Amino acid sequence: MSLTSVYLAEEVLALPVDQRRMLAKLLMDSVQDDGRSDDQIRDELRARLDDLKSGRDPGMSFEEVFGEKP
């Protein structure tokens, strides 16, 4: 493990239990294979961006995403 990884691990282990659980879930979710190839994911992201740019998808406000005002 690199020095950066060791430092990061020490910092994470110092977090409260509930925050470590949340981080662990995020990490586990990030390594789940959903069966799509990188090209398929890239194509979907491009299509979604095109929808946002064209107005076909209005997107979400900051408040809708984060539940608070900036």
Side-chain angles (χ1 to χ4, degrees), residues 3-67:
L3 188 57
T4 302
S5 297
V6 171
Y7 172 77
L8 182 58
E10 289 174 350
E11 291 295 311
V12 168
L13 291 172
L15 292 171
V17 172
D18 59 329
Q19 291 180 6
R20 291 195 320 261
R21 279 191 190 109
M22 187 181 349
L23 182 57
K25 181 179 178 341
L26 287 170
L27 289 171
M28 292 303 296
D29 289 349
S30 76
V31 297
Q32 297 293 324
D33 183 6
D34 68 2
R36 297 178 296 167
S37 70
D38 287 348
D39 287 336
Q40 289 171 316
I41 293 170
R42 199 172 295 111
D43 289 345
E44 179 182 339
L45 291 172
R46 283 189 184 119
R48 291 171 68 183
L49 182 58
D50 289 344
D51 287 346
L52 285 169
K53 287 180 176 179
S54 71
R56 288 186 299 265
D57 182 342
M60 296 173 68
S61 69
F62 182 91
E63 291 84 7
E64 290 172 309
V65 174
F66 296 103

